[in-house]
Amino acid sequence: MRTREERSSTCIQEEDLLLKHYIWDIWFLLCLPSIECFCRYLQDAFKVPLVIQLTDDEKCMWKNLSVEESQRLARENAKDIIACGFDISKTFIFSDFDYVGGAFYKNMVKVAKCVTYNKVVGIFGFTGEDHIGKVSFPPVQAVPSFPSSFPHLFSGKDDLRCLIPCAIDQDPYFRMTRDVAPRLGYHKPALIESSFFPALQGETGKMSASDPNSAIYVTDSAKDIKNKINKYAFSGGQDSIEKHRLYGANLEVDIPIKYLNFFLDDDAELERITKEYGAGRMLTGEVKQRLIQVLTEMVERHRRARAAVTDEMVDAFMAVRPLPNMFD
């Protein structure tokens, strides 16, 4: 049977080293928002400390938001993250606006001196129209992979290795980091890169905040989810029941099947649905109905968990403090 992790499209670099060093308790996780649930799985499975970076400064510079609005959104983001169930005794969440300075900033300067302007333009595609804030940002995202950036957590543990589960669009930052790290005396961070969910409209579409019907949001109501799946989720089924019974569904393009592949925990049920739908014995409406059930239950669980997260809990997770039991 396949596990949820085997279903995802991942790229693991230096995994043998990480598993070897896991035995000696000398690695930690760096998480960027968008892949929190997988980070929660890794934290639970390996009992390792987790650092979560909220790049509120990046939002300010790329999305033309005010500093204050970016900070507010970061705290809201933190509530969604905490609702995933992270262990506070092993988790430190920080926002760039609040934390950058001291040892963290010193590492930023070291990284910045190792990367030429030509190289950063080549990696990130900056143009003469981009403001200098964008050009200066990559070191901010690079240095959380160095343990010395967090002296309150990892003082004297500069040999720690870092594993970064992240979305594929973050790869340029960490390819740059992997190039620089050995020159500064640090281990290269290892990456697990996840692919993006396809838009509801199909693989050729793109999830976009400007099109609320391109994705399912954790703020969607049960009615919203049902409407989006029934109306917008691209189907690989045939255009008539007769043809569908004869030829079956094209599973390569079917969005409900792709989403169930990520979200349905029961592998036996997933295998059954895939087989029956592909053979034409199960109809598109039936598959969509099962997906609606799965997503509605998942979003409702998250909504209840998030409602229980208070501002005091956010402050506790973001407090600069030692984590004495982080490897227990």
Side-chain angles (χ1 to χ4, degrees), residues 71-72 74-80 82 88 306-319:
Q71 289 181 297
R72 185 192 69 79
R75 285 187 66 87
E76 292 301 308
N77 199 178
K79 291 179 179 179
D80 280 314
I82 294 167
I88 194 171
R306 193 188 191 284
V309 177
T310 64
D311 286 331
E312 290 74 21
M313 291 172 66
V314 175
D315 292 337
F317 270 91
M318 298 184 74

Side-chain angles (χ1 to χ4, degrees), residues 114-321:
C114 290
V115 183
T116 66
Y117 177 73
N118 283 341
K119 178 172 285 188
V120 81
V121 168
I123 294 172
F124 298 99
F126 296 133
T127 71
E129 300 303 312
D130 288 309
H131 57 70
I132 61 174
K134 292 184 178 182
V135 180
S136 66
F137 177 74
V140 183
Q141 191 148 322
V143 302
S145 59
F146 304 153
S148 66
S149 296
F150 307 101
H152 65 287
L153 297 177
F154 307 126
S155 179
K157 299 181 185 296
D158 286 357
D159 202 42
L160 281 172
R161 294 178 179 271
C162 178
L163 171 63
I164 308 171
C166 61
I168 192 88
D169 64 332
Q170 301 300 306
D171 179 75
Y173 290 103
F174 298 114
R175 279 192 290 113
M176 181 196 77
T177 307
R178 284 170 57 81
D179 179 61
V180 168
R183 297 159 63 185
L184 299 179
Y186 296 112
H187 296 295
K188 294 182 179 182
L191 308 179
I192 300 180
E193 296 182 343
S194 68
S195 60
F196 289 119
F197 287 129
L200 286 174
Q201 288 83 352
E203 294 282 5
T204 57
K206 181 181 178 182
M207 286 188 182
S208 171
S210 62
D211 180 8
N213 294 317
S214 65
I216 302 296
Y217 294 90
V218 292
T219 54
D220 282 344
S221 67
K223 182 179 179 181
D224 291 333
I225 294 170
K226 181 178 180 179
N227 180 63
K228 286 183 179 182
I229 297 300
N230 282 332
K231 189 172 182 179
Y232 298 105
F234 186 82
S235 170
Q238 303 299 326
D239 56 12
S240 70
I241 293 179
E242 292 75 17
K243 285 185 179 180
H244 186 81
R245 296 296 191 195
L246 182 62
Y247 300 113
N250 180 353
L251 303 181
E252 294 299 316
V253 301
D254 192 90
I255 292 300
I257 282 291
K258 290 180 183 293
Y259 274 43
L260 284 172
N261 198 53
F262 281 106
F263 294 118
L264 183 59
D265 286 326
D266 189 329
D267 287 325
E269 183 183 5
L270 177 64
E271 184 176 357
R272 179 187 64 79
I273 291 173
T274 301
K275 182 178 179 180
E276 294 296 301
Y277 189 40
R281 292 186 292 270
M282 196 171 188
L283 300 176
T284 296
E286 297 173 279
V287 177
K288 286 189 173 184
Q289 182 57 39
R290 185 64 183 114
L291 176 60
I292 290 167
Q293 293 172 350
V294 170
L295 292 178
T296 301
E297 291 170 5
M298 182 183 69
V299 169
E300 182 55 34
R301 281 198 307 272
H302 180 80
R303 184 179 289 114
R304 290 195 300 267
R306 193 188 191 284
V309 177
T310 64
D311 286 331
E312 290 74 21
M313 291 172 66
V314 175
D315 292 337
F317 270 91
M318 298 184 74
V320 178
R321 68 205 190 278

